[in-house]
Amino acid sequence: MARRRRKKRVEEPLTEDMLAELLDAPDLRSFIDRPEVGKRTVAEYLTFLLDAKGLKRSEVVRDAGINSTYGYQIFKGQRPNVSRDNLLKLAFAMGLSRVEANRLLRAGGASELYAKNRRDAIITFALNNGYSLQRADEELYRFHEDTIG
């Protein structure tokens, strides 16, 4: 049975705050060159999350139920096209919030969670309530939706 971790909130600038900084910037380059601006790869974001949350890559890969070789390739950036469900597995294994999970999905080129989509609504609820991947899959199954794992 997966253990439940305490969620550690990752502090990233809010979009509204960044917009204010952009509008107040003396020149465009000083804003555009910031690391928070631009496209972040899956590997870069996962590494950031590991550091910020104090997680171990091996535990995350194991808890996500992803083959260890494949998981390490994702973390090293050797798998540029990670499926949406594998990204969601990693999100649950890392105990990500909905916002963090959406950032991970966006970094992977996948669509963000959409509340009007029944399956996505269940996943969003599960993330918001700190469910494990197994429990999220049980809820998806209960509502006759495709499971993640």
Side-chain angles (χ1 to χ4, degrees):
M1 178 147 236
R3 64 195 178 295
R4 193 166 169 147
R5 290 187 197 91
R6 292 181 72 202
K7 286 187 178 183
K8 182 176 180 183
R9 191 163 204 67
V10 177
E11 295 298 325
E12 284 200 355
L14 297 174
T15 303
E16 298 83 28
D17 295 339
M18 289 186 67
L19 175 60
E21 290 177 33
L22 169 61
L23 297 176
D24 290 340
D27 65 274
L28 186 56
R29 169 112 12 236
S30 65
F31 181 82
I32 293 294
D33 288 342
R34 294 175 49 183
E36 305 90 42
V37 179
K39 186 158 172 51
R40 182 170 25 192
T41 68
V42 169
E44 289 168 343
Y45 191 50
L46 287 172
T47 299
F48 167 79
L49 290 168
L50 284 177
D51 292 341
K53 292 178 174 283
L55 299 172
K56 293 184 179 179
R57 181 172 50 186
S58 59
E59 291 177 0
V60 170
V61 171
R62 182 194 65 228
D63 291 350
I66 296 174
N67 172 284
S68 60
T69 301
Y70 181 67
Y72 283 104
Q73 289 172 342
I74 293 170
F75 276 90
K76 290 181 180 181
Q78 297 169 342
R79 292 286 180 158
N81 298 319
V82 183
S83 73
R84 187 174 193 258
D85 278 354
N86 279 332
L87 293 171
L88 288 169
K89 288 178 188 180
L90 291 168
F92 277 102
M94 297 179 91
L96 300 186
S97 68
R98 178 191 57 81
V99 171
E100 293 164 339
N102 275 334
R103 287 178 182 151
L104 180 59
L105 291 169
R106 197 171 33 243
S111 60
E112 293 183 22
L113 294 167
Y114 184 59
K116 288 186 178 182
N117 176 292
R118 185 177 156 94
R119 182 175 188 256
D120 281 3
I122 296 165
I123 293 168
T124 299
F125 182 86
L127 284 168
N128 192 60
N129 287 284
Y131 287 9
S132 67
L133 175 60
Q134 179 181 349
R135 185 157 179 213
D137 274 345
E138 289 169 0
E139 288 299 303
L140 288 163
Y141 182 80
R142 184 166 73 101
F143 287 99
H144 307 289
E145 294 293 333
D146 291 337
T147 59
I148 302 166

